[in-house]
Amino acid sequence: MRSRSYIQEQKLSYQQALASQLVTAVIILNQELTIVYVNPAAEAILNKSLYRLYEVSIETIFANTSICNTRLKQLLTTGQEFTDSDIVVELSESHRFTAEVTASSIEFEKAPHVLLEFKQIDQQKQISLEVFQHQQWLAARDLIKGLAHEIKNPLGGLRGAAQLLSMEINTEQQEYTNMIIEQADRLTNLVDRLLGPNQLPQMQVQNVHGILEKVCQLVSYSNGQKINLLRDYDPSLPAVECDQEKLQQAVLNIVNNAIQAIDEVHDITLKTRIASNKTIHGKRIKLAVQISIIDNGPGIPNKIQDTLFYPMVSGRSNGTGLGLSISQTLINQHQGKLSCHSRPGHTEFTILLPLNQQTLNQSSISQEGTL
Ligand SMILES: Nc1ncnc2c1ncn2[C@@H]1O[C@H](COP(=O)(O)OP(=O)(O)OP(=O)(O)O)[C@@H](O)[C@H]1O
Ligand SMILES: [Mg+2]
């Protein structure tokens, strides 16, 4: 039978080991509400070591965060613990995250201390938001496709009838039938865009830089003076299975939007990287090719940010709101993901194209061949 003191010692060393292994960030505050301990998970999210955080007031660290000091003081006297979900922790302008915070009281060296536990919830929230938005996008697209299909058939009949009629009437009256034909053609064009890409992709393992260069060439012909096209390519990027035409169209729609949003000379950067451990519509992807299209224009208007990829959502007076929805369909045909983050001065569209082992093998063989 082990002695009591041995068990107590064991318990303490387990507790110490446990605190350093936890994924939950743990912070302990003394009665003055200054930090006396942070576990490694807390060091990681605060981006500072215990050595630099020791005896720093909690107020300085969480200046813009809604963890209320009065409540923490109350906790020290009454012991009443509390949990706040959705707390935005803002450590600096560029470093912020959302967390669920639990505050409880613990006895340490015969004095009450505050134990703060931070569970970061940004990632889960982001994944469920993305899945929800993707489902909404599918529903909106199907509805529009159904409508477009119903409009397309009678439109053909209308145009045909106007053509037949124009053969029966005199030249002066043909002005009217020509008008009907012209407008029917315009509507057919719109309906075709609403129906979206109707061909299956022709997949080929290839390097995306060639496709991006083609986009650069196309836009520089028509918008030469207005934009600064910059490249930030990863030369070691592996080839990926994609349809050249479709990927080019998807990127071109995004670049065109950036050009249309910009009045004077601005930068548009095309960036490529290899990305690991990403989630695409709720599915975990180990490796992906990431293409970012970044501009320093005014940013996406706030009111359309949540519905940006839905068909017929536009922030421009003469826009049809189909460009991004079409890009989304094209990227989905590659089992990829298109997403966007935007604030004034920085708008970034990201395309993820998953890489599978087979493509990686093929890619390394073809790269060896070119050496
Ligand atoms: N880089 C960007 N900067 C600012 N706003 C943007 C940017 N990209 C897209 N937008 C906004 O998103 C809206 C939707 O874009 P989308 O391409 O789907 O439609 P559109 O450009 O309005 O019309 P269409 O492409 O069918 O001619 C745009 O109207 C614009 O307000
Ligand atoms: Mg557009």
Side-chain angles (χ1 to χ4, degrees):
M1 188 77 174
R2 302 277 190 194
S3 70
R4 259 183 171 272
S5 64
Y6 174 81
I7 296 174
Q8 188 62 21
E9 242 174 62
Q10 280 278 322
K11 190 175 154 189
L12 284 175
S13 42
Y14 274 124
Q15 279 168 350
Q16 260 173 5
L18 208 67
S20 57
Q21 286 304 313
L22 282 179
V23 277
T24 308
V26 173
I27 301 176
I28 299 179
L29 311 174
N30 61 13
Q31 281 167 303
E32 282 76 49
L33 299 183
T34 60
I35 296 173
V36 288
Y37 173 75
V38 292
N39 73 343
E43 288 181 317
I45 60 166
L46 297 177
N47 232 346
K48 284 192 181 103
S49 65
L50 172 59
Y51 180 70
R52 292 188 56 198
L53 290 165
Y54 194 73
E55 290 198 332
V56 173
S57 156
I58 188 80
E59 256 182 329
T60 19
I61 304 277
F62 300 121
N64 296 320
T65 306
S66 58
I67 304 173
C68 170
N69 269 11
T70 353
R71 276 175 92 189
L72 294 178
K73 287 249 180 218
Q74 223 170 26
L75 169 73
L76 282 169
T77 48
T78 63
Q80 191 161 14
E81 62 180 67
F82 61 87
T83 301
D84 275 352
S85 50
D86 266 357
I87 291 232
V88 180
V89 181
E90 194 174 326
L91 301 169
S92 66
E93 214 173 89
S94 58
H95 187 185
R96 50 154 58 200
F97 59 89
T98 314
E100 185 184 273
V101 181
T102 304
S104 52
S105 158
I106 54 159
E107 197 77 7
F108 188 68
E109 288 177 348
K110 300 214 170 87
H113 282 61
V114 174
L115 171 75
L116 290 175
E117 292 169 68
F118 287 77
K119 212 185 284 168
Q120 226 172 315
I121 52 175
D122 299 77
Q123 226 183 357
Q124 289 132 283
K125 264 183 72 175
Q126 184 63 27
I127 291 171
S128 40
L129 182 72
E130 271 175 24
V131 171
F132 173 75
Q133 283 187 336
H134 184 64
Q135 280 163 353
Q136 294 281 311
W137 173 81
L138 283 175
R141 193 203 55 179
D142 287 350
L143 180 75
I144 299 250
K145 266 189 159 184
L147 264 174
H149 192 75
E150 287 307 302
I151 295 170
K152 195 168 175 171
N153 289 341
L155 211 54
L158 205 72
R159 191 188 192 282
Q163 259 177 330
L164 288 176
L165 191 63
S166 74
M167 288 185 236
E168 306 288 324
I169 52 180
N170 62 38
T171 337
E172 251 172 56
Q173 288 168 326
Q174 275 181 2
E175 192 186 323
Y176 303 116
T177 50
N178 284 346
M179 167 89 86
I180 298 173
I181 293 169
E182 215 174 88
Q183 291 304 314
D185 284 346
R186 201 177 71 83
L187 273 178
T188 311
N189 217 338
L190 174 68
V191 163
D192 281 342
R193 289 192 76 206
L194 285 173
L195 283 169
N198 57 0
Q199 277 161 356
L200 285 175
Q202 307 282 316
M203 295 297 207
Q204 255 185 353
V205 177
Q206 55 196 309
N207 195 294
V208 296
H209 294 146
I211 299 171
L212 297 181
E213 279 307 301
K214 188 90 198 188
V215 173
C216 290
Q217 216 177 22
L218 284 171
V219 295
S220 59
Y221 288 154
S222 43
N223 303 278
Q225 318 83 23
K226 196 174 154 189
I227 47 162
N228 250 343
L229 264 177
L230 308 170
R231 280 99 160 160
D232 178 2
Y233 294 162
D234 176 354
S236 64
L237 199 75
V240 65
E241 200 174 23
C242 63
D243 178 314
Q244 181 173 340
E245 293 281 315
K246 287 180 189 283
L247 186 58
Q248 184 181 311
Q249 188 58 48
V251 177
L252 191 61
N253 288 352
I254 299 168
V255 174
N256 276 339
N257 279 344
I259 296 170
Q260 282 155 358
I262 291 167
D263 291 331
E264 306 132 37
V265 177
H266 274 82
D267 299 336
I268 297 178
T269 310
L270 297 178
K271 180 171 151 186
T272 57
R273 290 290 182 271
I274 183 149
S276 55
N277 291 328
K278 295 282 173 186
T279 312
I280 298 185
H281 309 312
K283 227 171 90 184
R284 198 107 184 122
I285 301 292
K286 269 193 171 169
L287 277 180
V289 160
Q290 180 174 313
I291 306 168
S292 308
I293 299 110
I294 307 160
D295 72 76
N296 58 356
I300 312 271
N302 268 344
K303 63 176 193 301
I304 61 165
Q305 286 222 1
D306 290 340
T307 50
L308 187 65
F309 295 104
Y310 293 7
M312 314 219 76
V313 170
S314 177
R316 296 191 293 121
S317 53
N318 55 349
T320 49
L322 292 174
L324 287 178
S325 176
I326 291 172
S327 293
Q328 175 90 293
T329 307
L330 294 168
I331 300 301
N332 280 350
Q333 287 184 336
H334 289 79
Q335 273 74 51
K337 182 168 92 171
L338 172 62
S339 57
C340 171
H341 290 283
S342 176
R343 56 183 153 82
H346 186 98
T347 299
E348 183 162 349
F349 281 87
T350 308
I351 297 171
L352 282 177
L353 301 172
L355 275 166
N356 54 35
Q357 197 53 47
Q358 203 185 346
T359 322
L360 272 173
N361 293 344
Q362 280 187 36
S363 156
S364 60
I365 291 168
S366 65
Q367 273 178 1
E368 270 169 32
T370 56
L371 284 176

Coordinates of all heavy atoms in Angstrom, one line a residue, residues 214-271:
K214 N -1.5 33.3 -68.7 CA -2.5 33.5 -69.8 C -3.5 34.6 -69.3 O -3.8 35.5 -70.1 CB -3.2 32.2 -70.1 CG -4.1 32.2 -71.3 CD -3.3 31.8 -72.5 CE -4.1 32.2 -73.7 NZ -3.9 31.9 -74.9
V215 N -3.9 34.5 -68.1 CA -4.9 35.5 -67.5 C -4.2 36.9 -67.6 O -4.8 37.9 -68.0 CB -5.3 35.1 -66.1 CG1 -6.1 36.2 -65.5 CG2 -6.1 33.8 -66.1
C216 N -2.9 36.9 -67.1 CA -2.2 38.2 -67.1 C -2.1 38.8 -68.5 O -2.4 40.0 -68.6 CB -0.8 38.0 -66.6 SG -0.7 37.6 -64.9
Q217 N -1.9 38.0 -69.5 CA -1.7 38.4 -70.8 C -3.1 39.0 -71.3 O -3.1 40.1 -71.8 CB -1.4 37.2 -71.7 CG -0.5 37.5 -72.8 CD -0.2 36.2 -73.6 OE1 -1.0 35.2 -73.5 NE2 0.9 36.2 -74.3
L218 N -4.2 38.3 -71.0 CA -5.5 38.7 -71.5 C -5.9 40.1 -70.8 O -6.3 41.0 -71.5 CB -6.6 37.7 -71.1 CG -6.6 36.5 -71.9 CD1 -7.5 35.4 -71.3 CD2 -7.1 36.8 -73.3
V219 N -5.6 40.3 -69.5 CA -6.0 41.5 -68.9 C -5.1 42.7 -69.2 O -5.6 43.8 -69.3 CB -6.2 41.4 -67.3 CG1 -7.4 40.5 -67.0 CG2 -5.0 41.0 -66.7
S220 N -3.8 42.4 -69.5 CA -2.9 43.5 -69.7 C -3.2 44.1 -71.1 O -3.0 45.3 -71.4 CB -1.5 43.1 -69.6 OG -1.2 42.0 -70.5
Y221 N -3.8 43.3 -72.0 CA -4.1 43.8 -73.4 C -5.2 44.9 -73.2 O -5.2 45.9 -73.8 CB -4.6 42.7 -74.3 CG -3.6 41.8 -74.8 CD1 -3.9 40.5 -75.2 CD2 -2.2 42.2 -74.9 CE1 -2.9 39.6 -75.6 CE2 -1.3 41.3 -75.3 CZ -1.6 40.0 -75.7 OH -0.6 39.2 -76.1
S222 N -6.2 44.6 -72.4 CA -7.3 45.5 -72.3 C -7.2 46.6 -71.2 O -7.9 47.6 -71.2 CB -8.6 44.7 -72.1 OG -8.4 43.7 -71.2
N223 N -6.4 46.3 -70.2 CA -6.3 47.3 -69.1 C -4.9 47.7 -68.7 O -4.6 47.9 -67.5 CB -7.0 46.7 -67.8 CG -8.4 46.3 -68.1 OD1 -9.3 47.1 -68.0 ND2 -8.6 45.0 -68.3
G224 N -4.1 47.8 -69.7 CA -2.6 48.0 -69.5 C -2.3 49.0 -68.5 O -1.5 48.8 -67.6
Q225 N -2.8 50.3 -68.7 CA -2.3 51.4 -67.8 C -2.9 51.4 -66.4 O -2.3 51.9 -65.5 CB -2.6 52.8 -68.5 CG -2.5 52.9 -70.0 CD -3.7 52.3 -70.7 OE1 -4.8 52.3 -70.2 NE2 -3.5 51.9 -71.9
K226 N -4.0 50.8 -66.3 CA -4.8 51.0 -65.0 C -4.2 50.1 -63.8 O -4.4 50.4 -62.7 CB -6.2 50.6 -65.3 CG -7.2 51.1 -64.2 CD -8.6 50.8 -64.7 CE -9.5 50.7 -63.5 NZ -10.8 50.2 -63.9
I227 N -3.6 49.0 -64.2 CA -3.2 48.0 -63.1 C -1.8 47.6 -63.2 O -1.1 47.6 -64.2 CB -4.1 46.7 -63.2 CG1 -4.1 46.2 -64.6 CG2 -5.4 46.9 -62.6 CD1 -4.5 44.8 -64.7
N228 N -1.3 47.3 -62.0 CA 0.1 46.8 -61.8 C -0.1 45.3 -61.5 O -0.5 45.0 -60.4 CB 0.6 47.4 -60.5 CG 1.7 48.4 -60.8 OD1 2.3 48.4 -61.9 ND2 2.0 49.2 -59.8
L229 N 0.2 44.5 -62.5 CA 0.0 43.0 -62.2 C 1.3 42.5 -61.6 O 2.4 42.5 -62.2 CB -0.3 42.3 -63.5 CG -1.7 42.1 -63.8 CD1 -1.9 41.4 -65.2 CD2 -2.4 41.2 -62.8
L230 N 1.2 42.0 -60.4 CA 2.4 41.4 -59.7 C 2.3 39.9 -59.6 O 1.2 39.4 -59.4 CB 2.6 42.1 -58.3 CG 2.5 43.6 -58.3 CD1 2.5 44.1 -56.8 CD2 3.8 44.2 -58.9
R231 N 3.4 39.2 -59.6 CA 3.4 37.8 -59.5 C 4.2 37.4 -58.2 O 5.3 37.9 -58.0 CB 4.1 37.1 -60.6 CG 3.3 36.9 -61.9 CD 3.6 38.0 -62.8 NE 3.2 37.7 -64.2 CZ 3.1 38.7 -65.1 NH1 3.3 39.9 -64.7 NH2 2.8 38.4 -66.3
D232 N 3.7 36.5 -57.4 CA 4.4 36.0 -56.3 C 4.2 34.5 -56.3 O 3.3 33.9 -55.6 CB 3.7 36.6 -55.0 CG 4.4 36.1 -53.7 OD1 5.3 35.3 -53.8 OD2 3.9 36.5 -52.6
Y233 N 4.9 33.8 -57.2 CA 4.7 32.4 -57.5 C 5.7 31.6 -56.6 O 6.8 32.0 -56.4 CB 5.0 32.1 -59.0 CG 4.1 32.7 -60.0 CD1 4.4 32.8 -61.3 CD2 2.8 33.1 -59.6 CE1 3.5 33.3 -62.3 CE2 1.9 33.6 -60.5 CZ 2.3 33.7 -61.9 OH 1.4 34.2 -62.8
D234 N 5.2 30.4 -56.2 CA 6.1 29.4 -55.6 C 6.6 28.5 -56.7 O 5.9 27.7 -57.2 CB 5.2 28.6 -54.5 CG 6.0 27.5 -53.9 OD1 7.2 27.3 -54.3 OD2 5.5 26.9 -53.0
P235 N 7.9 28.6 -57.0 CA 8.5 27.9 -58.1 C 8.4 26.4 -57.9 O 8.5 25.6 -58.8 CB 9.9 28.4 -58.2 CG 10.2 29.1 -57.0 CD 8.9 29.5 -56.3
S236 N 8.3 25.9 -56.6 CA 8.3 24.5 -56.4 C 6.9 23.9 -56.3 O 6.7 22.8 -55.9 CB 9.0 24.2 -55.0 OG 8.2 24.8 -54.0
L237 N 5.9 24.7 -56.8 CA 4.5 24.3 -56.7 C 4.3 23.0 -57.6 O 4.7 23.0 -58.8 CB 3.6 25.4 -57.3 CG 2.2 25.4 -56.9 CD1 1.9 25.7 -55.5 CD2 1.4 26.3 -57.8
P238 N 3.7 22.0 -57.0 CA 3.5 20.8 -57.9 C 2.4 21.0 -58.9 O 1.5 21.9 -58.7 CB 3.1 19.7 -56.9 CG 2.6 20.4 -55.7 CD 3.3 21.8 -55.7
A239 N 2.4 20.2 -59.9 CA 1.3 20.3 -60.9 C 0.0 19.7 -60.3 O 0.1 18.9 -59.4 CB 1.7 19.5 -62.1
V240 N -1.1 20.2 -60.8 CA -2.4 19.7 -60.2 C -3.3 19.4 -61.3 O -3.2 19.9 -62.5 CB -2.9 20.9 -59.3 CG1 -3.3 22.1 -60.1 CG2 -4.1 20.4 -58.5
E241 N -4.3 18.5 -61.0 CA -5.2 18.1 -62.1 C -6.3 19.1 -62.2 O -7.0 19.5 -61.3 CB -5.9 16.8 -61.6 CG -6.5 16.0 -62.7 CD -7.0 14.6 -62.3 OE1 -7.3 14.5 -61.1 OE2 -7.1 13.8 -63.2
C242 N -6.4 19.8 -63.4 CA -7.4 20.8 -63.6 C -7.7 21.0 -65.1 O -7.0 20.5 -66.0 CB -6.9 22.1 -63.0 SG -5.4 22.8 -63.8
D243 N -8.8 21.7 -65.3 CA -9.2 22.0 -66.7 C -8.7 23.4 -67.0 O -9.2 24.3 -66.4 CB -10.8 21.9 -66.8 CG -11.3 22.3 -68.2 OD1 -10.8 23.3 -68.7 OD2 -12.2 21.5 -68.7
Q244 N -7.8 23.5 -67.9 CA -7.2 24.8 -68.2 C -8.2 25.9 -68.5 O -8.1 27.0 -67.9 CB -6.3 24.5 -69.4 CG -5.5 25.8 -69.8 CD -4.5 25.5 -70.9 OE1 -4.1 24.3 -71.1 NE2 -4.0 26.5 -71.5
E245 N -9.1 25.6 -69.4 CA -10.1 26.7 -69.8 C -10.9 27.1 -68.6 O -11.1 28.3 -68.4 CB -11.0 26.1 -70.9 CG -10.4 25.8 -72.2 CD -10.2 27.0 -73.0 OE1 -11.1 27.8 -73.1 OE2 -9.1 27.2 -73.5
K246 N -11.4 26.2 -67.8 CA -12.3 26.5 -66.8 C -11.6 27.2 -65.6 O -12.1 28.2 -65.1 CB -12.9 25.2 -66.2 CG -14.0 24.7 -67.2 CD -14.6 23.4 -66.6 CE -15.5 22.8 -67.7 NZ -16.8 23.4 -67.9
L247 N -10.3 26.8 -65.3 CA -9.6 27.5 -64.3 C -9.2 28.9 -64.7 O -9.3 29.9 -63.9 CB -8.3 26.7 -63.9 CG -7.5 27.2 -62.7 CD1 -8.4 27.2 -61.5 CD2 -6.3 26.4 -62.5
Q248 N -8.9 29.0 -66.0 CA -8.6 30.4 -66.5 C -9.8 31.3 -66.4 O -9.7 32.4 -66.0 CB -8.2 30.2 -68.0 CG -7.7 31.5 -68.6 CD -7.3 31.2 -70.1 OE1 -6.6 30.3 -70.4 NE2 -7.9 32.0 -71.0
Q249 N -11.0 30.8 -66.8 CA -12.2 31.6 -66.7 C -12.5 32.0 -65.2 O -12.8 33.1 -65.0 CB -13.4 30.8 -67.3 CG -14.7 31.5 -67.4 CD -14.5 32.8 -68.3 OE1 -13.9 32.6 -69.4 NE2 -14.9 33.9 -67.8
A250 N -12.3 31.0 -64.3 CA -12.6 31.3 -62.9 C -11.7 32.4 -62.4 O -12.1 33.4 -61.7 CB -12.4 30.0 -62.1
V251 N -10.4 32.4 -62.7 CA -9.4 33.4 -62.3 C -9.7 34.7 -63.0 O -9.7 35.8 -62.3 CB -8.0 33.0 -62.5 CG1 -7.0 34.0 -62.1 CG2 -7.7 31.7 -61.7
L252 N -10.0 34.6 -64.3 CA -10.3 35.9 -65.0 C -11.5 36.7 -64.5 O -11.4 37.9 -64.3 CB -10.5 35.5 -66.5 CG -10.6 36.6 -67.5 CD1 -9.2 37.3 -67.5 CD2 -10.9 36.1 -68.9
N253 N -12.5 35.9 -64.1 CA -13.7 36.6 -63.5 C -13.3 37.4 -62.2 O -13.8 38.5 -62.0 CB -14.8 35.6 -63.1 CG -15.5 35.0 -64.3 OD1 -15.3 35.5 -65.4 ND2 -16.3 34.0 -64.1
I254 N -12.4 36.8 -61.4 CA -12.0 37.4 -60.2 C -11.1 38.6 -60.5 O -11.3 39.7 -59.9 CB -11.3 36.4 -59.3 CG1 -12.2 35.2 -58.9 CG2 -10.8 37.0 -58.0 CD1 -11.5 34.0 -58.3
V255 N -10.2 38.4 -61.4 CA -9.3 39.6 -61.7 C -10.1 40.7 -62.3 O -9.8 41.9 -62.0 CB -8.1 39.1 -62.7 CG1 -7.3 40.2 -63.1 CG2 -7.3 38.0 -62.0
N256 N -11.0 40.4 -63.2 CA -11.9 41.4 -63.8 C -12.6 42.2 -62.8 O -12.7 43.4 -62.9 CB -12.8 40.8 -64.8 CG -12.2 40.6 -66.2 OD1 -11.2 41.3 -66.5 ND2 -12.7 39.8 -67.0
N257 N -13.1 41.5 -61.8 CA -13.8 42.2 -60.7 C -12.9 43.2 -60.0 O -13.3 44.4 -59.7 CB -14.3 41.3 -59.6 CG -15.6 40.6 -60.1 OD1 -16.3 41.1 -61.0 ND2 -15.9 39.5 -59.4
A258 N -11.7 42.8 -59.7 CA -10.7 43.6 -59.1 C -10.4 44.9 -59.9 O -10.4 46.0 -59.4 CB -9.4 42.9 -58.8
I259 N -10.3 44.7 -61.2 CA -10.0 45.8 -62.1 C -11.2 46.8 -62.1 O -11.0 48.0 -62.0 CB -9.7 45.3 -63.6 CG1 -8.5 44.5 -63.6 CG2 -9.6 46.5 -64.5 CD1 -8.2 43.7 -64.8
Q260 N -12.4 46.2 -62.1 CA -13.6 47.1 -62.2 C -13.8 47.8 -60.8 O -14.4 48.9 -60.8 CB -14.9 46.2 -62.4 CG -15.0 45.8 -63.9 CD -15.8 44.5 -64.1 OE1 -16.3 43.9 -63.1 NE2 -16.0 44.2 -65.3
A261 N -13.3 47.3 -59.7 CA -13.4 47.9 -58.4 C -12.4 49.1 -58.3 O -12.6 49.9 -57.4 CB -13.3 46.9 -57.3
I262 N -11.4 49.1 -59.1 CA -10.3 50.0 -58.9 C -10.5 51.2 -59.9 O -10.7 51.0 -61.1 CB -9.0 49.3 -59.2 CG1 -8.7 48.3 -58.1 CG2 -7.8 50.2 -59.4 CD1 -7.6 47.3 -58.4
D263 N -10.3 52.4 -59.4 CA -10.4 53.6 -60.2 C -9.1 54.0 -60.8 O -8.9 54.2 -62.0 CB -10.9 54.8 -59.4 CG -12.4 54.6 -59.1 OD1 -13.1 53.9 -59.8 OD2 -12.8 55.1 -58.0
E264 N -8.1 54.2 -59.9 CA -6.8 54.6 -60.4 C -5.8 53.4 -60.5 O -6.3 52.3 -60.5 CB -6.1 55.6 -59.5 CG -7.0 56.8 -59.2 CD -7.1 57.1 -57.7 OE1 -6.1 56.9 -57.0 OE2 -8.2 57.4 -57.2
V265 N -4.5 53.7 -60.6 CA -3.6 52.6 -60.7 C -3.4 51.9 -59.3 O -3.2 52.5 -58.3 CB -2.2 53.1 -61.2 CG1 -1.2 51.9 -61.2 CG2 -2.3 53.7 -62.5
H266 N -3.7 50.6 -59.3 CA -3.6 49.8 -58.1 C -2.8 48.5 -58.4 O -2.6 48.2 -59.6 CB -4.9 49.5 -57.5 CG -5.5 50.5 -56.6 ND1 -6.1 51.6 -57.1 CD2 -5.5 50.6 -55.3 CE1 -6.5 52.4 -56.1 NE2 -6.1 51.8 -55.0
D267 N -2.5 47.8 -57.3 CA -1.8 46.5 -57.6 C -2.8 45.3 -57.5 O -3.7 45.3 -56.7 CB -0.8 46.3 -56.4 CG 0.3 47.3 -56.4 OD1 0.5 48.0 -57.4 OD2 0.9 47.5 -55.3
I268 N -2.5 44.4 -58.4 CA -3.2 43.1 -58.3 C -2.1 42.0 -58.3 O -1.3 42.0 -59.2 CB -4.2 42.9 -59.5 CG1 -5.3 43.9 -59.5 CG2 -4.8 41.4 -59.4 CD1 -6.2 43.8 -60.7
T269 N -2.1 41.2 -57.2 CA -1.1 40.2 -57.1 C -1.6 38.8 -57.3 O -2.7 38.5 -56.7 CB -0.5 40.3 -55.6 OG1 -0.1 41.7 -55.4 CG2 0.8 39.5 -55.5
L270 N -1.0 38.1 -58.1 CA -1.3 36.6 -58.2 C -0.3 35.8 -57.4 O 0.9 35.9 -57.7 CB -1.3 36.2 -59.7 CG -2.3 36.9 -60.6 CD1 -2.2 36.5 -62.0 CD2 -3.7 36.7 -60.1
K271 N -0.8 35.1 -56.4 CA 0.2 34.4 -55.5 C -0.1 32.9 -55.6 O -1.3 32.6 -55.5 CB 0.0 35.0 -54.2 CG 0.9 34.5 -53.1 CD 0.7 35.3 -51.8 CE 0.9 34.5 -50.6 NZ 0.5 35.3 -49.4

